[in-house]
Amino acid sequence: MRGGIPLYGELCVQGSKNAALPILAASLLHRGISVIHNCPRILDVENTVQILQEAGCLVKWQGSSLMIFAENIQNTRISSKYGTQMRSSVIFLGSLLGRKGNAILPLPGGCTIGKRPIDLHLDSLKRMGARIEEEKEVLYADTEKMKGAKISLRFPSVGATENIILAAVLAKGTTWIQNAAREPEIMELCRFLKEKGAKIKGEGTSVIVIEGVRQLRDSEFFLMSDRIVAGTYLMAAMSAGGEISLKRAPVSQMTAQLQVLEAMGAQMKMEKNKICLKAPKKICRLVSVATHPYPGFPTDLQSQLLAVLCKARGRSKIVETIFEGRYQIVPELRKMGAKIKIVAQEAWIEGVEELTGTTVRACELRGGAALIVAGLGASGVTTIENACFIQRGYEDIGRDLRNLGAAIETS
Ligand code: EPZ
């Protein structure tokens, strides 16, 4: 890609990856049809579709609509071929235990952004009546019948909250989750399940109550947009300069990131599902921004923000409070001339006049997106190796940015 070209134009934000993945796992809970519209065509979704088909589901794409028929689930073993591709396969524990009373799946490995243990998932499902053993990096789980329980999470884990909900929907009795995650993706999963007849209250707050039901029903669902993809494109415009507008943007879920953009000098106009952003000539520095669970500034946008602040006027600070390994991208940004110092979970960024394009390497999804953000604002050509990581979460970032005038080619 060649940087230094301001972005102008409009694009439509894709469906939410982090809502789609638990919803696809949830479709296993119903012996019938689930149709999900506006489903993003990304690697993680394709991989999850493979897991559904391996379990015995019939799955059919029609454009961005996905039809899942989960009448016969004969196989409750997730092969390592798919299960280790992404950490979110652990979410199938809850839905397979809820539907079939057993599940075998590979222990999801750590990844570059952190150890990412699953103790909260396992402890919670055991409290609901699951027996779970680990042998040679494989989890063996079974139960006579999942039963309701009172669960208090020491951390509002998104995945653990989702796994508990999936296990509780068909369980015997009622489940209470204290200190539940409040992310919009949790609310979207609950909206999907309630449209299928599940009995859930409190989603979006720290206390969620699920009353087990005997069965669910066929449904058709329109998936919400992806707030992290939307934020990524806004950061891209901040880095490259110019003026863009996003259609189908989940504005009400983006308050924290819009406040940060405003503090950096962005001029924005917001309507219900539309954001117009005009980038400032010079990025204002941020004295200090910390990532937090929702509704705080999202950790999934931290690397993209870091890339923008590399050219801010003055010194900025970012504090990453969610994942201990989310500064992997810093050495790559330094190759482009960025001045970043890491002290424990803090990143201190001295703004520079210019970044210079060079060859850099992505090592995970959002860090890869951050390298694109940096390259758009750099002089000269930037080549990103391992860019395939980016396809895990973005349908076609090259196409979208070219439609805004960027000189970017993706292989
Ligand atoms: C989800 O991951 C998202 N993934 C992540 O997005 C996102 O960064 C994260 O939530 C935080 O918002 C999906 O939804 C598929 P967590 P998840 O459980 O569920 C610790 C992206 O780029 N923890 O809320 O794994 C954990 O180590 C991805 O789209 C435990 O200690 O996040 C971390 O420090 C990256 N024990 C913290 O909690 C557990 O059992 C947050 O993890 C579980 C988590």
Side-chain angles (χ1 to χ4, degrees):
M1 64 190 287
R2 174 173 298 284
I5 304 168
L7 302 181
Y8 291 96
E10 179 170 272
L11 67 79
C12 194
V13 179
Q14 71 184 54
S16 165
K17 165 177 96 74
N18 289 350
L21 299 180
I23 283 173
L24 292 181
S27 68
L28 276 186
L29 291 168
H30 171 49
R31 301 170 172 278
I33 292 176
S34 304
V35 178
I36 298 138
H37 299 297
N38 196 36
C39 201
R41 304 288 306 241
I42 53 177
L43 287 186
D44 276 9
V45 166
E46 304 288 359
N47 196 44
T48 304
V49 165
Q50 299 286 348
I51 292 175
L52 290 174
Q53 289 172 323
E54 206 180 37
C57 295
L58 299 176
V59 184
K60 188 171 174 318
W61 281 103
Q62 206 152 25
S64 65
S65 297
L66 201 54
M67 196 286 286
I68 302 160
F69 183 54
E71 174 76 33
N72 304 307
I73 303 298
Q74 318 89 345
N75 170 32
T76 59
R77 181 185 196 109
I78 295 178
S79 61
S80 55
K81 182 170 161 224
Y82 303 122
T84 50
Q85 298 277 324
M86 49 186 211
R87 298 195 30 82
S88 56
S89 53
V90 71
I91 211 74
F92 279 93
L93 259 182
S95 55
L96 285 169
L97 282 167
R99 167 73 187 268
K100 298 292 288 182
N102 62 73
I104 301 174
L105 72 162
L107 198 58
C111 66
T112 51
I113 66 174
K115 287 192 297 298
R116 302 182 76 180
I118 56 168
D119 55 310
L120 297 174
H121 298 243
L122 303 184
D123 295 349
S124 303
L125 294 173
K126 287 174 184 169
R127 280 179 66 80
M128 297 174 71
R131 283 182 299 278
I132 306 178
E133 304 291 333
E134 184 209 322
E135 202 184 315
K136 296 198 184 84
E137 309 263 297
V138 175
L139 290 173
Y140 297 85
D142 72 349
T143 180
E144 273 75 50
K145 174 80 176 159
M146 295 304 276
K147 55 186 191 310
K150 284 191 192 308
I151 295 164
S152 179
L153 294 173
R154 72 172 153 74
F155 179 87
S157 154
V158 172
T161 302
E162 291 166 346
N163 239 334
I164 297 163
I165 292 168
L166 293 172
V169 161
L170 300 176
K172 191 171 175 341
T174 301
T175 300
W176 285 263
I177 311 173
Q178 309 272 355
N179 198 25
R182 297 164 51 195
E183 270 69 6
E185 292 76 23
I186 302 279
M187 296 175 71
E188 192 73 343
L189 169 64
C190 292
R191 184 169 74 90
F192 171 77
L193 286 164
K194 288 163 86 168
E195 286 188 9
K196 297 186 84 65
K199 289 191 178 142
I200 306 172
K201 286 194 301 243
E203 63 272 20
T205 74
S206 300
V207 180
I208 300 178
V209 184
I210 306 106
E211 189 188 328
V213 295
R214 289 178 54 75
Q215 61 182 20
L216 299 174
R217 56 176 177 254
D218 289 358
S219 68
E220 200 165 342
F221 185 80
F222 194 94
L223 190 70
M224 73 182 190
S225 296
D226 193 310
R227 61 194 171 101
I228 303 302
V229 169
T232 302
Y233 287 124
L234 296 175
M235 294 293 174
M238 292 294 280
S239 175
E243 189 166 351
I244 69 167
S245 56
L246 301 183
K247 289 190 303 185
R248 278 202 202 161
V251 176
S252 63
Q253 300 171 8
M254 300 170 67
T255 307
Q257 44 180 303
L258 296 174
Q259 282 167 353
V260 163
L261 285 159
E262 218 151 24
M264 290 195 285
Q267 291 171 39
M268 290 182 285
K269 278 199 304 297
M270 268 76 83
E271 289 156 29
K272 190 166 173 294
N273 289 320
K274 189 171 177 180
I275 301 173
C276 303
L277 176 141
K278 185 174 179 353
K281 288 267 170 293
K282 194 70 187 148
I283 303 286
C284 304
R285 67 135 189 189
L286 292 175
V287 175
S288 180
V289 174
T291 63
H292 288 294
Y294 192 85
F297 186 84
T299 175
D300 291 348
L301 218 46
Q302 182 261 97
S303 299
Q304 299 91 314
L305 173 64
L306 185 64
V308 172
L309 289 172
C310 289
K311 289 200 313 176
R313 182 187 293 115
R315 171 187 285 190
S316 305
K317 182 172 93 170
I318 290 180
V319 187
E320 170 58 52
T321 69
I322 309 285
F323 289 109
E324 69 278 13
R326 210 152 204 181
Y327 289 131
Q328 305 290 320
I329 212 62
V330 168
E332 302 306 304
L333 293 172
R334 286 179 180 140
K335 286 181 193 167
M336 300 175 74
K339 288 198 176 0
I340 305 171
K341 192 171 70 169
I342 301 295
V343 180
Q345 287 311 99
E346 295 179 351
W348 294 81
I349 308 109
E350 289 297 339
V352 294
E353 257 321 291
E354 190 175 74
L355 292 178
T356 310
T358 184
T359 298
V360 288
R361 174 178 286 268
C363 58
E364 41 89 20
L365 164 58
R366 305 299 177 186
L371 289 174
I372 291 181
V373 168
L376 288 168
S379 60
V381 174
T382 298
T383 302
I384 300 175
E385 295 176 339
N386 281 353
C388 53
F389 281 110
I390 304 166
Q391 292 162 3
R392 290 189 49 189
Y394 297 82
E395 276 185 328
D396 191 340
I397 197 165
R399 172 204 62 199
D400 289 349
L401 290 171
R402 276 193 299 278
N403 289 344
L404 298 175
I408 179 170
E409 289 308 322
T410 48
S411 54

